[in-house]
């Protein structure tokens, strides 16, 4: 089943994000290579593809896992959590309808 993982950043998270971004992306790449990633990306803090020093306010990942518990365990192991980027993370089942 698909699951939506929404991470909400702490204030001024950009430095923390950048410090572990490579590790975060490596985990997403592994999901993608396994055919289990539908989409992933950050929420810019301003209306721009490149928010510069304004940074980001969170992230969205939609990926396939065996269960809600497996999705939560994967989300809990994200380097952004260990680095203090996320204030909170919400994991929910997701039903893909379109496209």
């Amino acid at each position: 089943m698909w699951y939506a993982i929404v991470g909400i950043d702490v204030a001024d998270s950009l430095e923390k994000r950048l410090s572990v971004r490579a590790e975060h992306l490596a985990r997403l790449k592994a999901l993608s290579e396994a055919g289990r990633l539908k989409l992933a990306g950050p929420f810019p803090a301003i209306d721009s593809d490149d928010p510069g020093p304004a940074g980001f306010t969170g992230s969205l990942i939609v990926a396939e896992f065996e269960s809600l518990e497996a999705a939560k365990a994967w989300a809990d192991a994200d380097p952004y959590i260990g680095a203090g980027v996320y204030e909170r993370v919400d994991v929910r089942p997701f039903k893909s309808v379109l496209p």
Side-chain angles (χ1 to χ4, degrees):
M1 179 163 194
W2 294 105
Y3 294 89
I5 301 168
V6 180
I8 303 300
D9 286 20
V10 298
D12 301 316
S13 63
L14 187 57
E15 253 185 66
K16 293 176 184 178
R17 271 181 169 269
L18 295 176
S19 73
V20 293
R21 185 172 186 265
E23 294 91 341
H24 173 78
L25 292 178
R27 295 178 81 235
L28 292 172
K29 184 177 179 184
L31 278 180
S32 181
E33 289 172 352
R36 296 174 42 209
L37 182 66
K38 185 173 275 301
L39 65 91
F43 301 124
I46 60 174
D47 191 11
S48 173
D49 284 342
D50 181 5
F56 301 92
T57 61
S59 302
L60 170 65
I61 299 165
V62 178
E64 187 175 32
F65 293 93
E66 294 177 8
S67 65
L68 179 59
E69 293 77 21
K72 286 181 178 182
W74 187 90
D76 287 345
D78 194 299
Y80 281 178
I81 290 180
V85 173
Y86 291 148
E87 178 179 309
R88 71 179 190 279
V89 176
D90 187 24
V91 181
R92 299 179 185 198
F94 178 82
K95 182 178 177 183
S96 183
V97 176
L98 292 171

